[in-house]
Amino acid sequence: MLRKSVSRFSLAGALALSFACASLSAEESGPESASLKTWSNQVRDYAAQSLHDDNALSMAAIPMNGPGIDQYINADVLMSPGSIMKLVTTYAALEILGPTYHWDTNFYTDGTLSGNTLDGNLYVKFGGDPKLTIERLWSALSELRGMGVTTIQGDLILDGSFFDIAGGLPGFDDNGDNPYAPFLVQPSAFLTNLNLLHFQVRADERGTQAWSAPALDDVVIDNRVTAIAQGPCPSRRGFTWEPVFHADQRVTVRVTGELPEGCRTTAYLSLLPHEQYSASLIRSLLVDMGIAISGESLTGNTPDEARLMVRMSSPDLVTMVRDINKWSSNVMARQLLLTIGAENHLDDEGDDRAAGIRVIYDWLENKGINTAGMVIDNGAGLTRHGRITARQGAQILQRAWNSPFSSDLMASMPLIAMDGTMARRLRNVGMDGLGRIKTGYLEHVRSIAGFTRDESNTTWAVVGMVNTDPAWNGQAVLDRILYSLHHKPPVGTTLSKAKGDTDVR
């Protein structure tokens, strides 16, 4: 505990000291007109020293509702944005689809009910729901049980025709060693439960027990973890999860390591194709409810004459946007881009990803934003090809500030030092909850975008991107920008001449 306190104090002290020194140098330089010009220069110098590259940082900061001077550093240079691109996708969705938009998942049959038997096929017509969880599927399928159905004499047929992705999906050149990681899950009309399996191993006096949630027949755990005497619980990195894929499409997951009694280790993996995962999940839930299904698992279109048995609607778009931005869900953002395309594609457009990108470009240009050079790619920022300038990003935030749905977008962004991907950043420096910032993180990329408040309660739209190899120090540079905007904003002569305004706390 003492070590954590010291490290947090060091961060606060380092930020305060570095800015105090920079401010002192500016004040010693003479006339205040020179001082006014130094805010961006101080940030630029700090970035150059930290990153060893004069062009690694691109930044724009604009006051929204109070005094301040616009600040720009390399603001017209196209940069790789990482996950801050999700703000473009989610803001566009709020205005194009509307905050009350929802996704329907419908269950149909081409058969008849006789007693407790459904004599016919069960069709699941997916609607592109970004977060069709196991809990919501259970709730929908329980309606069948509530109708008295205990037997389905037919096939389970999944209909994923809601999305047209004939052009395919762009791949991501990941440099990690885990192709089954949750952040790499691809979008799909068949998506359920984020296509994830949550594996757990626990050690006690009996040895170790391993299980997964959901428990699917297609996935088997080969538990080779050894229980050892009680001691500190190890990091998850101390365990190896190795999937073995079989010809019958089943997967055995072999886990190895040592686990002290009383400890638990976990892992999230995406191992099955979407269609197989969703069919296996639905069958598992039917079994849990006491409903037997005799046929196979297939994919196909729902017949026009099929009749609706159960309709399930998702939470509204606002709820989805919050999940996407707070926790930076790549697959949900990509699902959202496909939905924009599916709902707005032209008759001659055969790919919903391309249609979604076209719709967002048109929407931005109608707002007066020059999209030259911008590359949306997949809507999530999980790409080596995505590009945007800091000026473009700041202009988008300006429009969002005046949008009828600004509060919905802002509420979705992580709060500084409080939650989401900002929970551990800028703690104990007097900024808790005083900014709503979306973060981005890729190899050689660090980024921020959102709104932050200064000590005079002026809100600033801010976009910052660091592109350099390596970019590990980029987070400190971007945190410095947020810290400086709060404690020493470039507000002009009226405030900067005030006596005692040199306190950096």
Side-chain angles (χ1 to χ4, degrees):
M1 184 62 70
L2 177 60
R3 184 175 299 170
K4 289 184 178 180
S5 299
V6 170
S7 65
R8 291 175 187 170
F9 175 79
S10 299
L11 171 64
L15 285 167
L17 181 59
S18 63
F19 188 73
C21 291
S23 298
L24 183 60
S25 298
E27 289 164 5
E28 289 176 346
S29 65
E32 184 176 23
S33 59
S35 177
L36 290 179
K37 297 177 182 178
T38 60
W39 192 95
S40 60
N41 289 339
Q42 292 165 25
V43 172
R44 188 193 302 269
D45 291 345
Y46 179 79
Q49 293 169 11
S50 300
L51 304 170
H52 308 292
D53 185 345
D54 292 339
N55 300 310
L57 172 67
S58 175
M59 189 276 297
I62 303 172
M64 295 286 97
N65 59 353
I69 303 171
D70 295 3
Q71 300 292 311
Y72 300 98
I73 299 172
N74 298 325
D76 295 308
V77 177
L78 288 164
M79 304 284 274
S80 176
S83 285
I84 65 172
M85 186 60 80
K86 292 181 176 72
L87 289 183
V88 178
T89 306
T90 52
Y91 171 33
L94 285 168
E95 291 209 345
I96 294 169
L97 299 175
T100 61
Y101 181 90
H102 61 267
W103 292 258
D104 288 335
T105 303
N106 297 322
F107 297 80
Y108 292 88
T109 187
D110 56 4
T112 58
L113 285 168
S114 177
N116 61 1
T117 299
L118 173 60
D119 188 9
N121 299 315
L122 178 64
Y123 293 85
V124 185
K125 189 167 186 177
F126 295 97
D129 191 335
K131 197 176 182 184
L132 182 50
T133 62
I134 186 172
E135 294 85 3
R136 290 176 47 223
L137 275 172
W138 186 93
S139 178
L141 292 170
S142 67
E143 291 192 34
L144 290 177
R145 190 65 183 85
M147 296 174 192
V149 175
T150 60
T151 304
I152 299 174
Q153 295 286 358
D155 296 324
L156 173 64
I157 303 177
L158 307 186
D159 182 347
S161 60
F162 183 76
F163 289 148
D164 186 346
I165 47 178
L169 296 168
F172 176 69
D173 181 19
D174 180 46
N175 64 328
D177 59 357
N178 183 8
Y180 317 110
F183 75 93
L184 294 174
V185 172
Q186 292 268 33
S188 169
F190 297 102
L191 181 70
T192 60
N193 209 46
L194 303 178
N195 205 54
L196 294 179
L197 288 155
H198 182 200
F199 294 94
Q200 300 186 63
V201 182
R202 187 182 187 279
D204 56 30
E205 63 273 15
R206 300 169 298 171
T208 63
Q209 293 77 43
W211 67 96
S212 69
L216 304 182
D217 287 342
D218 291 345
V219 179
V220 177
I221 303 174
D222 179 6
N223 177 22
R224 301 189 182 185
V225 176
T226 304
I228 59 176
Q230 291 185 10
C233 293
S235 166
R236 285 183 292 178
R237 296 178 182 176
F239 299 85
T240 300
W241 300 83
E242 181 183 359
V244 179
F245 297 90
H246 305 292
D248 62 358
Q249 297 187 330
R250 292 165 65 88
V251 182
T252 297
V253 180
R254 182 179 300 128
V255 54
T256 58
E258 293 184 339
L259 193 62
E261 288 188 17
C263 292
R264 181 192 309 259
T265 189
T266 68
Y268 285 91
L269 299 174
S270 178
L271 300 173
L272 301 176
H274 289 80
E275 298 93 323
Q276 182 183 357
Y277 178 95
S278 296
S280 188
L281 175 59
I282 291 170
R283 282 182 173 275
S284 173
L285 292 173
L286 289 172
V287 169
D288 288 347
M289 292 171 190
I291 301 176
I293 183 166
S294 63
E296 301 179 73
S297 296
L298 305 171
T299 61
N301 293 331
T302 304
D304 292 338
E305 64 273 14
R307 60 191 179 90
L308 181 67
M309 296 195 72
V310 178
R311 169 166 290 159
M312 176 178 55
S313 293
S314 73
D316 60 23
L317 176 64
V318 170
T319 303
M320 299 294 187
V321 165
R322 187 180 188 279
D323 282 346
I324 291 170
N325 287 333
K326 286 283 187 186
W327 304 108
S328 205
S329 174
N330 290 312
V331 67
M332 289 180 69
R334 298 180 70 177
Q335 202 86 348
L336 190 54
L337 176 65
L338 291 179
T339 301
I340 293 172
E343 294 288 8
N344 295 278
H345 64 238
L346 304 176
D347 291 340
D348 60 347
E349 287 181 308
D351 186 274
D352 289 336
R353 183 184 72 91
I357 293 171
R358 190 255 317 155
V359 169
I360 293 177
Y361 282 147
D362 290 346
W363 169 77
L364 289 171
E365 289 168 4
N366 286 336
K367 290 182 172 296
I369 295 171
N370 181 2
T371 61
M374 187 185 301
V375 179
I376 294 174
D377 197 28
N378 60 22
L382 185 69
T383 170
R384 306 294 182 198
H385 309 294
R387 293 292 183 271
I388 195 171
T389 70
R391 191 184 303 274
Q392 288 170 332
Q395 289 174 348
I396 292 169
L397 290 176
Q398 282 182 292
R399 305 304 191 276
W401 176 260
N402 293 308
S403 169
F405 313 122
S406 61
S407 60
D408 299 313
L409 182 66
M410 291 183 68
S412 75
M413 299 183 203
L415 285 160
I416 289 177
M418 293 186 73
D419 72 359
T421 57
M422 285 295 296
R424 297 184 179 277
R425 291 175 64 169
L426 290 166
R427 300 174 73 178
N428 296 342
V429 296
M431 295 183 63
D432 293 19
L434 295 181
R436 294 181 177 271
I437 302 295
K438 180 74 192 76
T439 62
Y441 181 101
L442 284 176
E443 183 186 27
H444 310 327
V445 177
R446 303 291 186 273
S447 58
I448 56 169
F451 301 95
T452 188
R453 190 183 303 178
D454 67 25
E455 288 189 325
S456 299
N457 283 328
T458 295
T459 297
W460 293 74
V462 58
V463 175
M465 292 174 282
V466 170
N467 285 192
T468 190
D469 179 11
W472 62 268
N473 211 25
Q475 178 174 314
V477 172
L478 298 173
D479 284 354
R480 161 70 183 272
I481 291 171
L482 295 173
Y483 181 91
S484 301
L485 279 174
H486 177 74
H487 289 288
K488 283 290 181 179
V491 295
T493 56
T494 303
L495 294 181
S496 61
K497 283 185 176 179
K499 296 293 185 181
D501 197 42
T502 59
D503 178 18
V504 294
R505 300 186 183 179

